[in-house]
Amino acid sequence: MAKEAADVNKMPKKNPLSLQIDLQKFEKATDEEKKQADVMSESTSFFRDGMRKLRKNPLAMFSIVVLIAIILMITLVPVIVPYSYSDIITVNGKRDKSATNMAPFTYSKLEQQYIDEGGKVFPHIMGTDELGRDYFVRVAYGTRISLLVGVFASAIVLVIGVLYGSISGYFGGKVDLIMMRFVDVIYSLPDLLMIILLSVVLNEVLKFDGNGILARLGTNMISLFIVFGLLYWVGMARLVRGQILTIKQNEYVLAAKVSGAKSSRIIRRHILPNCISVIIISAALQIPSAIFTESFLSFISLGVKAPMPSLGSLASAARSGITTYTYKLVFPALMIGLITLAFNLLGDGLRDAFDPKLRR
Amino acid sequence: MGKYIFKRVLLAIVTIFIVCFITFFTMNAIPGGPFAGEKAKSPEVQAALEKRFNLDKPVGEQFVIYMKNLLHGDFGISAKTGREISETIGSKFSVSAKLGIMAVLLAVFLGVVFGSIAALQRNRWPDRVIIFLSTLFTSLPSFVLGSFLLVIFSVKLGWVRAWSPTNQNLVLPVIALAMYPAAYITRLTKTSMLDVMGQDYVRTARAKGVAQWKVLFVHTLRNALIPVVTYLGPMIAGVLTGSLVVEQIFTIGGLGAEFVQSITNRDYPMIMGVTIFLAVFMVTMNLLTDIVYKLIDPRINLD
């Protein structure tokens, strides 16, 4: 056999009337021509393909750069700038009571005196606030708190929503019916009003001692988290349930079931990975919404506990004396806008890249 | 249809009851009761007050009494001012309602017009500009936008005078409230227009020579607006909660400002009353939205 196959050029004797192709009339492909037929591009996975699309989306890449810049800023600024978010500026060991409401890059009398004497004062990049605290550090800290609240709240929503939605969608039938009625009721509760109510109540009921992060954030933020955990997960749960209802119909799920896999394994290994992109996109879009909620609450005096700043409380505090010190509103407002814009654009980009079904 | 409406109304009633339940019992969990903050009273006065407001009865019975009063439109009296809460709500809500209705109308108008333009000019510069602006406006909380509007147009430029009972100019607060929903409706209208423009019935209409404007207004826009209707309920809720802060910024004496004031004052009966009132309003609006949605689109199945 091998001998015959190697000798391609030799044509077997054929009937003159036969329609069989005469191989002699064909030219052999050169090595160069053979190479052209090779598949040049690597085979891609779903994830890689999505990343490639994401990298081609300038808006999404821009928002990633912005987010990285913001994260760098909130980690580095408190280290580099020698002021703290809660303390009045001290010059040469003395409290500088005149350093209130200064414009960006200006120095108070005491500081000017100290500089003239040869001392070094770190410039107030965003000026100072009404109590004489460095505003740049406060904005950086506020951004940190707002981002933290956003990420944490969306993590709560993610965990509860995915658990609830996947159980409801996977088991279907009566379980689904009852669980979804419950979701319907929660969904129709006015969430912001409930947050306000709980914040008011928890403020009186809960008292935190010590110096933990929760105690410093204050009871308002805890009630924000509680309400997010109680109410906001329903959107995510509905989304996950809908996804699972469709994925459940696929043959590979049936195959897994037939071969005796447990429900938890089927959910974890076969169903969740298939709707993970939708879940992540929705979680990314949850972050700006949580930051919005937090700033809204701060504005109506139900936000983080003083002296801890958040972007919302900074913007709210800036309203007194807004006509003369407009920059105090501009900086936190800019940060809120930048963060929400970046997350929204990134979420849209992720959706375009990873979710062909939702693509418009 | 009747069955659907019945189910939906039932859900709304259950929701309202739950809101009342949560509101009442969380407020009751606050130690001290509504009169604890006032100056010290003699035991007799305290007892008389408690008897007057049924505070001497068990909590369950208090809840029943409270619910009964609510059904009669009696929200109790404010712990701070001593006035009837229902009266305060009645007088203040008209201001908020005016503001809210104007904001909703402006948002729908801007959103539908710009969304349609963006869809018709897809991938050309008007589309890009509109989508850029709408993304920008969905990233600004209404209180930030409101503050900037106030500083720029009222203080720095002096074009619009600030609100006062004699000068009820609502231009700036309406804009501040309307921009976020307008941006959202723009995006909603655009996607749904693009969707409808690809439908067979639009192509058929074009093919048989229906006039351009008729295709746009009768065949496309009417169907494209159905998803916008679903957003009306959440939008009204958003505008109402947004008015809490916007009224504060522009010092408008509406229900929102009153509510925020009662939170700062720790005026618990007032907080309770306004929460329940706003919640009932929002749930009712959601109910109406859902029913209207099912009525205008016969394609939606009723289960």
Side-chain angles (χ1 to χ4, degrees), chain A residues 47-60:
Chain A
F47 179 73
R48 247 195 238 153
D49 190 42
M51 286 310 283
R52 194 178 52 82
K53 278 187 201 149
L54 192 65
R55 242 178 269 133
K56 277 191 182 162
N57 184 341
L59 280 177

Side-chain angles (χ1 to χ4, degrees), chain B residues 54-69:
Chain B
N54 298 312
L55 292 177
D56 49 347
K57 300 205 172 73
V59 187
E61 203 175 322
Q62 280 182 46
F63 180 62
V64 175
I65 294 172
Y66 188 76
M67 290 300 287
K68 259 188 197 157
N69 289 341

